[in-house]
Amino acid sequence: MRKTEVLVVGGGPAGLSAAIAAASMGAKVLLVDDGLKLGGQLVKQTHKFFGSHRQSAGVRGIKIAGMLLSDIEKLKDKIEVVSNTTATGYYQDDGVVTAMTGEDVYMKIKSERVIIATGASERMLTFPNNDLPGVYGAGAVQTLMNVYGIVPGDRVLMVGAGNIGLIVSYQLMQANVEVATVVEAMPYIGGYLVHASKIRRLGVPIYTSHTILEVYGKDAVEAAAIVKLDSKWQPIPSTKRILNVDTVCLSVGLSPLIELLWQAGCKMKYVPQLGGNVVLRDKYMRTSRRDIFVAGDVAGIEEATSAMLEGKLAGLIAASDLGYAYDGWEADREDTLSSLEELRRGPLSEKIRSGLKEVVVEW
Amino acid sequence: MVKLSEHLRRTGVFSMEEVNRVMPPPEVLKKGPVAVVECIQEIPCDPCHASCPFGAIKEFKDINDLPEIDWEKCTGCTLCVAKCPGLAIFVVDASCDGDDALLKLPYEFYPVPEKGEEVELLNRAGEVVGKGEVRSVIEPHKDGTKVVTVHVPKDMIADVRHVRVVR
Amino acid sequence: MEKFTDDDVIVCRCEDVTLGQIREVIRRGYTDPEEIKRITRAGMGPCQGKTCRDIIIREVARITGKRIDEIPVPTYRPPSKPIKVGLLAEESD
């Protein structure tokens, strides 16, 4: 049985920030991450981040990962990192987290505070032949290209014009892969319009009120059909068009990875604005279980900057529970909180705000 | 909330009104190079302000505000062009006599155009609208985003927003 | 969306379960995703339902006319990833 003061599950932007904050307070941290390298989704984000210049906006995600990792390195007497390790369960009776490194090392971890920062998984769509090779999650394609240097094909249909769909389309074009079309079922582009403009001036069309109908091919994707939707979301058969593509990328939303929180018995609520079932928590990210915190996409689908701020909050509070502090940490906490509020104040964050209203409680 | 056209929200391409909204007036264009800030949706983002050494992009009261540019102070240095995460800032220089103008745009592709090379000029919808000679390529922040300066006809400075290398 | 999808569409890739099979058990009266999981094995493979869980809950909601938040969520039982039995035995002390 391993023992630690703060266990952080997940080494993405939220988990790294949580570990740094808790260790800066003085707590002993164990950081468990399923990747071979830390950084989560940041390492594939070759685009520059939006947000405040105070939180490294204008810097590429992969650079931000490097900055966080150098902070982790500076705190290495406080933070123990265990990579290639998946947290496999939470057992309520004794508060133990189990984890497996690779496939051959299994461990039990007992910790005074747990911060769950497991992120999210990509949603799937149901359409004929959706299991043919060549149908990918857009995030998976981003990993393939930007982490492993592998392009998925020659010509892509992107399904979904949210930020991920638009950004991955741009990055496909950067990798010299043609993006035939972006389709979006909603009547309007969901992602930032500057991202849309970036791919439009490269010549990539975006069709709103359109969706994928089916995919054709024997052993792999050879073509895909798209169709226009009427105002009641029904396909208009006469608008069906066949595109010669060998790759279909789905960027149709993310689901929070809540398994551990569920197993821990944290109170939950179905909040579609936040991506599905998420935990109730206070403004400092504490769940209904006093010893368990959340941060990042698992707490509600948002983006990396807010994930880092949430992680910092969770890390500060978890460590302060155990009696740790540094000079001015409370001012830091309030500053982090107000940065989060500012980030979510704009018209495009309305959905997030309405979702948060349903899950942010006072314990 | 700032109003955006149906056209932009459905296609990602500015309407004529939106082009006019962002373009500097003729008397500003006459004076020298200036930034055209094509950021008209309120998103939480402010690095353009911090990147400007001349204080030409005003400080944000709220991070979701639209950037406001003071063309009197703007020198057209392109530091904001290379910093903007949305690649939504361009510099136009229509101060020379005659038909020729210069357009400076952010560029993150391979191959990188070379000085003197003739490239295709693309508009906001990705249509080729002409050809132009590359005057220079710089990388202001050494962070992968280059700024390409290309000759364009004066009457196209509001249209051309991308260049494509054809070899 | 579901209207123009085919019954042959694979919903659970790990256990090879189709949308048609899911619809069939719902029609037979199994409207709790936990029951559907046990009968069809959808969600019991290596990924533990990361893809199919949402699709099945949406399908139940569509056919029964209930809201998604009224559909019970199937249990997330550990381990969330396959573990060799030998590893469990080693750790049991």
Side-chain angles (χ1 to χ4, degrees):
Chain A
M1 179 90 71
R2 281 188 183 232
K3 290 205 164 109
T4 187
E5 291 180 325
V6 177
L7 168 67
V8 178
V9 182
L16 291 175
S17 304
I20 292 163
S24 305
M25 293 281 278
K28 197 167 158 273
V29 177
L30 180 66
L31 174 59
V32 170
D33 183 54
D34 66 352
L36 294 173
K37 282 184 190 162
L38 290 177
Q41 309 307 309
L42 284 176
V43 299
K44 66 187 190 186
Q45 289 172 355
T46 53
H47 54 280
K48 292 177 177 174
F49 276 30
F50 291 79
S52 170
H53 62 279
R54 288 163 57 218
Q55 287 117 25
S56 32
V59 180
R60 295 179 200 283
I62 185 169
K63 282 263 170 150
I64 295 174
M67 287 152 59
L68 292 171
L69 291 186
S70 92
D71 287 349
I72 296 269
E73 179 63 25
K74 282 181 209 142
L75 291 160
K76 66 180 173 198
D77 55 330
K78 288 281 173 207
I79 304 174
E80 186 190 350
V81 176
V82 190
S83 293
N84 191 23
T85 300
T86 307
T88 52
Y90 185 99
Y91 295 84
Q92 274 190 54
D93 38 359
D94 49 6
V96 162
V97 172
T98 56
M100 182 169 62
T101 303
E103 289 186 349
D104 294 306
V105 181
Y106 186 66
M107 66 183 99
K108 291 178 183 168
I109 305 162
K110 177 81 179 158
S111 169
E112 291 177 52
R113 292 290 179 273
V114 182
I115 300 171
I116 306 288
T118 43
S121 62
E122 291 193 272
R123 285 239 176 89
M124 186 68 197
L125 277 185
T126 47
F127 53 84
N129 282 330
N130 68 352
D131 58 332
L132 268 185
V135 179
Y136 293 86
V141 160
Q142 202 184 20
T143 304
L144 265 185
M145 284 197 305
N146 299 352
V147 180
Y148 299 104
I150 297 165
V151 293
D154 294 324
R155 200 159 189 265
V156 175
L157 165 64
M158 178 65 68
V159 181
N163 276 335
I164 296 178
L166 298 173
I167 289 170
V168 175
S169 294
Y170 181 75
Q171 292 172 357
L172 281 160
M173 296 292 286
Q174 283 182 308
N176 234 338
V177 178
E178 189 188 349
V179 179
T181 295
V182 179
V183 291
E184 167 59 57
M186 302 294 283
Y188 298 112
I189 293 165
Y192 292 168
L193 293 172
V194 283
H195 284 313
S197 298
K198 260 162 64 178
I199 60 167
R200 282 309 312 268
R201 59 179 181 255
L202 302 175
V204 178
I206 301 174
Y207 295 121
T208 50
S209 298
H210 275 72
T211 194
I212 183 168
L213 199 54
E214 57 188 320
V215 162
Y216 311 97
K218 194 164 162 283
D219 300 318
V221 174
E222 289 165 24
I226 60 169
V227 71
K228 191 172 168 40
L229 299 171
D230 65 20
S231 58
K232 294 193 176 83
W233 306 95
Q234 296 308 310
I236 306 167
S238 61
T239 62
K240 179 173 158 179
R241 258 189 297 170
I242 310 284
L243 301 173
N244 287 317
V245 293
D246 58 7
T247 306
V248 173
C249 285
L250 302 176
S251 57
V252 291
L254 302 171
S255 295
L257 284 169
I258 56 165
E259 286 111 313
L260 295 172
L261 297 156
W262 178 274
Q263 289 159 8
C266 297
K267 280 192 185 136
M268 300 223 171
K269 193 170 183 185
Y270 178 77
V271 184
Q273 304 96 304
L274 298 178
N277 282 299
V278 287
V279 290
L280 301 184
R281 41 80 165 192
D282 69 9
K283 64 177 175 177
Y284 297 126
M285 310 310 293
R286 192 195 300 275
T287 70
S288 60
R289 296 246 349 210
R290 201 181 145 66
D291 55 339
I292 301 180
F293 293 77
V294 283
D297 274 355
V298 71
I301 306 302
E302 214 173 335
E303 44 76 53
T305 307
S306 54
M308 290 187 274
L309 293 166
E310 287 183 349
K312 184 170 178 182
L313 278 178
L316 290 176
I317 307 299
S320 123
D321 277 4
L322 307 178
Y324 293 105
Y326 59 73
D327 277 350
W329 81 272
E330 280 159 315
D332 246 14
R333 178 194 64 196
E334 293 312 303
D335 189 48
T336 307
L337 207 54
S338 65
S339 296
L340 255 178
E341 278 164 16
E342 191 181 18
L343 205 60
R344 293 166 171 158
R345 202 182 290 152
L348 261 72
S349 301
E350 207 195 318
K351 202 171 92 174
I352 297 289
R353 288 197 300 271
S354 82
L356 289 175
K357 261 188 209 149
E358 302 203 28
V359 296
V360 180
V361 293
E362 277 182 48
W363 301 120
Chain B
M1 194 167 151
V2 173
K3 202 170 152 30
L4 302 168
S5 71
E6 285 278 309
H7 188 253
L8 174 60
R9 294 173 68 208
R10 287 182 198 276
T11 68
V13 178
F14 274 22
S15 67
M16 265 323 286
E17 187 278 319
E18 282 154 339
V19 173
N20 293 332
R21 202 190 295 175
V22 297
M23 284 304 289
E27 61 273 20
V28 170
L29 287 173
K30 245 183 250 162
K31 284 191 201 162
V34 281
V36 181
V37 183
E38 307 207 340
C39 176
I40 64 171
Q41 184 181 37
E42 292 151 297
I43 55 177
C45 190
D46 70 1
C48 54
H49 156 69
S51 76
C52 180
F54 307 101
I57 299 180
K58 291 175 195 163
E59 195 173 343
F60 287 64
K61 281 198 203 81
D62 185 300
I63 194 174
N64 293 287
D65 288 344
L66 296 182
E68 239 185 279
I69 184 161
D70 182 345
W71 280 311
E72 289 292 316
K73 290 183 183 165
C74 178
T75 64
C77 74
T78 72
L79 285 176
C80 58
V81 174
K83 195 65 174 179
C84 172
L87 307 189
I89 309 181
F90 306 82
V91 163
V92 292
D93 182 356
S95 62
C96 310
D97 295 332
D99 266 354
D100 185 46
L102 291 173
L103 178 67
K104 302 174 188 223
L105 41 82
Y107 189 86
E108 299 184 326
F109 290 84
Y110 289 108
V112 177
E114 276 165 25
K115 187 180 172 181
E117 185 172 355
E118 194 177 62
V119 290
E120 286 181 343
L121 306 174
L122 281 72
N123 66 11
R124 288 186 174 79
E127 296 155 345
V128 178
V129 290
K131 285 187 171 177
E133 188 195 321
V134 172
R135 162 123 163 209
S136 69
V137 180
I138 57 169
E139 193 177 335
H141 304 291
K142 303 286 172 241
D143 65 352
T145 306
K146 305 208 163 44
V147 174
V148 173
T149 302
V150 64
H151 290 274
V152 298
K154 236 177 217 173
D155 59 357
M156 281 164 83
I157 54 168
D159 296 330
V160 175
R161 285 300 173 263
H162 189 59
V163 295
R164 186 189 285 149
V165 175
V166 193
R167 282 179 196 166
Chain C
M1 281 290 271
E2 282 79 1
K3 221 176 180 175
F4 53 92
T5 62
D6 202 84
D7 276 352
D8 296 331
V9 173
I10 301 281
V11 167
C12 170
R13 296 174 186 216
C14 303
E15 296 291 325
D16 231 6
V17 182
T18 63
L19 196 53
Q21 284 171 276
I22 300 292
R23 287 172 177 164
E24 171 60 23
V25 296
I26 297 173
R27 270 194 289 273
R28 277 162 50 200
Y30 299 102
T31 55
D32 181 337
E34 187 72 43
E35 296 172 324
I36 297 172
K37 174 168 108 178
R38 286 164 197 236
I39 293 164
T40 63
R41 287 198 59 81
M44 293 171 87
C47 94
Q48 289 287 293
K50 285 188 183 65
T51 329
C52 63
R53 186 182 288 260
D54 281 355
I55 296 172
I56 291 170
I57 289 175
R58 267 184 277 148
E59 198 59 18
V60 172
R62 190 184 68 84
I63 293 176
T64 61
K66 287 187 180 169
R67 292 197 317 270
I68 287 182
D69 61 352
E70 293 175 313
I71 312 291
V73 180
T75 307
Y76 292 87
R77 197 166 279 107
S80 55
K81 182 176 175 175
I83 295 178
K84 291 178 188 167
V85 176
L87 285 177
L88 294 174
E90 279 169 31
E91 260 291 336
S92 63
D93 38 286

